């Protein structure tokens, strides 16, 4: 018997009673004919189903795959670095495809520091994750090696990684001229980290033809390695048509105390702030009456945030953008004394808060240390301007004195690594105290519960046994999240053991 696929489908749809399957002469010379010849035509329904299976499999198996007649792609250059161990690769799998994704940035950093590369069969999944999560891209390109960059060049979605490898002048030039926006941003980021002047020269060479979105992104990347040499391109960007470009340039110039913008801001702010009172002195400030076009060009935003008065907001921006070196001469006191005097009036406290913003932007450790006791709640980023040992000491004092209240958690977000065993131990101790506290959980406990995972990513792994002990004692409302807290720390300990130090 012979069977036609369309005939089979038609018979199955209308029923074999109305349309019996065709019975003809078998074709024994073919494998298909031989298989069909063995079907019993006396059972019409069974015959249709059996023939459908045979013909359907034949049709699928008989499809010839498309053949690419084009030239083969170029081969990858040989690797210069060793690959990670199978155990480390299995650990990577748990982060790429599982619930331990938050630990991935640390794994990438440790692997790069150890000089090892991802195993080739893990490259596609890692490139997929980094494509979806832009914050992982810079770290990813450090561990994919030549094979990863070669592979990225074969798929448009991964093109951002194709030209982001080790320094190669010809490849860098090609990427800057013809690469995707993502690949060019990664290139500029790398160049700024290794040769800020070369990065600036590359950007200046094409600045006039860049899109507004790219100009804004490129200006923001100049924050790495920022110096007075960047002032000309940033001053020019203050006149850009795109608001985002202008504000990004102004924000960087605010970080350069010796810039022309800094001097202009000092000229605006100095007349507004004065020492008042005799003999008990205090700092007072007059509120600006307007934001003129020149101030707006220098980055002063006229519209205040919700809940903030417009004139107070203008004062804050003027003082925050003024070089901190202006005030000892203008007011006749060192930073510590001025911080004390600013507490004596409402406008003085506005000035003090603006000084805190300036200390963060300008990275001034002396001012940050003078201000941190007074302004750490409003400006927790002051910790980033302090030397690591001072920042850790301040963080320990706040954790011990205030527990893990929301304001302390905000402060810890800005405590620069490494935290070390001391700070980590007091944090775990406070977690244990919160877990053991009787009664209905309050607002502080709710805030801590939501941020335990973040803490586990920053704690020194040496406190893992203490965290595991806390998890063992946790019950009820705390049990799942404290268990996750201990699991993250344990995972990090095991991860570090699998990567060479």
């Amino acid at each position: 018997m012979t069977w036609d696929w369309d005939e089979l489908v038609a018979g199955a749809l209308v029923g074999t009673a109305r349309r019996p399957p065709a019975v003809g002469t078998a074709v024994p010379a073919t494998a298909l004919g031989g298989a069909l010849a063995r079907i019993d035509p006396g059972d019409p329904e069974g015959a249709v189903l059996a023939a459908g299976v045979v013909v359907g499999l034949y049709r699928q198996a008989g499809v010839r795959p498309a053949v690419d007649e084009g030239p083969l792609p170029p081969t990858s250059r040989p690797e210069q670095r060793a690959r990670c161990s199978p155990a480390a690769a299995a650990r990577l799998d748990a982060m790429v495809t599982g619930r331990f994704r938050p630990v991935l940035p640390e794994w990438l950093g440790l692997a790069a520091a150890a000089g090892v590369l991802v195993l080739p069969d893990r490259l596609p999944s890692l490139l997929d994750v980094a494509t979806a999560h832009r914050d992982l891209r810079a770290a990813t390109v450090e561990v994919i090696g030549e094979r990863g960059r070669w592979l990225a060049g074969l798929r448009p979605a991964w093109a951002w990684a194709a030209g982001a490898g080790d320094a190669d002048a010809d490849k860098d030039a090609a990427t800057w001229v013809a690469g995707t926006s993502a690949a060019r941003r990664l290139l500029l980021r790398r160049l700024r980290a290794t040769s800020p002047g070369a990065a600036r020269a590359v950007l200046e060479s094409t600045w006039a033809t860049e899109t507004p979105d790219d100009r804004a992104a490129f200006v923001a990347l100049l924050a790495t390695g920022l110096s007075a040499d960047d002032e000309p391109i940033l001053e020019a960007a203050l006149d850009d048509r795109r608001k985002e470009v202008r504000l990004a340039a102004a924000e960087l110039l605010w970080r350069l105390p010796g810039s022309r913008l800094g001097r202009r801001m000092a000229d605006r702010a100095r007349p507004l702030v004065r020492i008042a009172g005799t003999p008990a002195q205090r700092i007072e400030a007059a509120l600006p009456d307007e934001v003129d076009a020149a101030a707006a060009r220098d980055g002063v935003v006229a519209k205040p945030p919700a809940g903030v008065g417009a004139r107070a907001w203008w004062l804050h921006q003027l003082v925050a953008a003024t070089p901190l070196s202006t005030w000892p001469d203008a007011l006749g006191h060192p930073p510590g004394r001025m911080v004390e005097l600013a507490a004596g009036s409402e406008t003085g406290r506005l000035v003090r808060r603006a000084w805190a913003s300036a200390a963060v932007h300008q990275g001034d450790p002396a001012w940050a240390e003078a201000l941190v006791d007074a302004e750490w709640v409003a400006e927790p980023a002051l910790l980033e301007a302090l030397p690591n040992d001072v920042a850790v000491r301040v963080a320990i004092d706040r954790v011990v004195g205030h527990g893990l209240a929301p304001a302390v958690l905000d402060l810890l977000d800005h405590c620069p690594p490494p935290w070390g065993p001391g700070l980590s131990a007091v944090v775990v101790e406070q977690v244990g105290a919160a877990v053991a506290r009787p009664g209905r959980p309050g607002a502080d406990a709710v805030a801590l519960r939501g941020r335990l995972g973040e803490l586990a990513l920053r704690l020194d792994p040496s406190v893992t046994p203490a965290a595991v002990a806390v998890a063992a004692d946790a019950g009820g409302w705390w049990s799942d999240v404290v268990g996750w807290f201990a699991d993250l720390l344990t995972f990090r300990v095991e991860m570090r053991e699998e990567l060479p130090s």
Side-chain angles (χ1 to χ4, degrees):
M1 57 184 147
T2 58
W3 301 83
D4 178 82
W5 178 257
D6 292 335
E7 180 69 20
L8 283 170
V9 172
L13 289 174
V14 303
T16 56
R18 297 178 57 190
R19 190 165 184 163
V23 177
T25 304
V27 188
T30 66
L32 175 62
L36 293 173
R38 290 193 290 273
I39 296 176
D40 180 10
D43 176 11
E45 291 83 0
V48 169
L49 292 175
V53 170
V54 172
V55 177
L57 289 174
Y58 176 82
R59 285 163 57 94
Q60 294 180 46
V63 174
R64 293 181 178 273
V67 177
D68 185 352
E69 301 292 349
L72 293 174
T75 58
S76 169
R77 295 193 299 186
E79 297 290 6
Q80 303 299 317
R81 290 185 284 163
R83 297 188 175 105
C84 70
S85 68
R91 185 74 52 181
L92 176 63
D93 293 340
M95 291 176 281
V96 168
T97 62
R99 66 192 185 109
F100 289 99
R101 175 76 60 78
V103 192
L104 183 54
E106 183 178 7
W107 190 96
L108 294 172
L110 291 171
V116 297
L117 302 174
V118 174
L119 294 183
D121 61 342
R122 267 59 171 204
L123 288 170
S125 58
L126 178 58
L127 287 168
D128 275 342
V129 169
T131 298
H133 301 273
R134 292 177 178 270
D135 57 312
L136 295 174
R137 292 183 179 182
T140 295
V141 299
E142 298 296 326
V143 299
I144 60 175
E146 296 292 346
R147 178 72 64 89
R149 289 188 284 275
W150 168 82
L151 189 64
L154 301 179
R155 184 175 179 184
W158 298 338
W160 56 267
D166 297 330
D168 181 316
D170 292 337
K171 288 179 64 177
D172 287 351
T175 298
W176 188 252
V177 171
T180 65
S181 290
R184 297 175 77 223
R185 292 174 193 182
L186 279 175
L187 172 60
L188 189 64
R189 184 194 303 271
R190 173 168 60 79
L191 288 176
R192 282 298 287 189
T194 57
S195 179
R200 184 176 57 255
V202 164
L203 180 56
E204 288 174 333
S205 70
T206 59
W207 179 261
T209 60
E210 300 293 350
T211 67
D213 286 343
D214 280 343
R215 288 200 304 273
F218 292 150
V219 167
L221 290 175
L222 296 180
T224 300
L226 182 67
S227 72
D229 293 334
D230 299 314
E231 184 179 2
I233 189 173
L234 294 175
E235 270 285 340
L238 293 177
D239 296 314
D240 197 274
R241 297 188 304 275
R242 185 70 168 262
K243 176 183 178 181
E244 290 80 3
V245 178
R246 298 194 302 271
L247 292 180
E251 201 257 332
L252 290 186
L253 287 169
W254 289 13
R255 301 186 189 184
L256 290 174
S259 67
R260 285 174 285 167
L261 183 147
R263 293 195 292 273
R264 294 194 295 269
M265 287 295 197
D267 289 342
R268 297 181 181 107
R270 194 186 296 109
L272 300 176
V273 181
R274 65 188 182 93
I275 298 288
T278 303
Q281 294 184 326
R282 63 185 181 277
I283 287 178
E284 293 182 347
L287 300 180
D289 293 321
E290 63 175 350
V291 174
D292 59 21
R297 178 185 181 271
D298 285 344
V300 179
V301 177
K303 185 177 180 179
V308 179
R311 297 175 69 198
W313 170 237
W314 302 339
L315 174 70
H316 178 92
Q317 293 177 90
L318 294 179
V319 175
T322 295
L324 288 166
S325 59
T326 302
W327 303 110
D329 289 339
L331 301 178
H333 293 287
R337 179 58 178 159
M338 283 186 281
V339 170
E340 293 175 3
L341 296 177
S345 70
E346 182 178 354
T347 55
R349 289 188 289 275
L350 292 176
V351 170
R352 189 179 67 187
R353 187 163 296 181
W355 282 339
S357 294
V360 171
H361 279 97
Q362 297 171 32
D364 192 306
W367 274 88
E369 193 160 0
L371 285 156
V372 70
D373 285 339
E375 292 293 336
W376 67 274
V377 173
E379 196 66 67
L382 281 167
L383 252 62
E384 297 178 12
L386 294 173
N388 181 261
D389 60 335
V390 178
V392 169
R393 186 173 69 246
V394 169
I396 290 174
D397 289 344
R398 300 303 180 272
V399 172
V400 172
H402 302 273
L404 293 176
V408 176
L409 293 172
D410 291 341
L411 187 74
L412 291 175
D413 284 342
H414 296 278
C415 186
W419 280 16
L423 174 56
S424 300
V426 298
V427 169
V428 172
E429 181 180 342
Q430 289 295 326
V431 171
V435 170
R437 192 168 292 125
R440 185 180 182 87
D444 287 2
V446 172
L448 175 59
R449 176 186 166 88
R451 296 171 73 169
L452 269 181
E454 299 171 19
L455 290 176
L457 298 176
R458 298 198 294 271
L459 293 173
D460 189 280
S462 65
V463 300
T464 300
V468 171
V470 170
D473 294 336
W477 187 75
W478 284 105
S479 60
D480 58 340
V481 71
V482 178
W484 172 234
F485 173 73
D487 287 348
L488 278 172
L489 277 164
T490 302
F491 186 91
R492 291 178 58 217
V493 169
E494 295 169 349
M495 174 185 72
R496 288 168 175 265
E497 294 172 349
E498 294 160 354
L499 288 167
S501 56

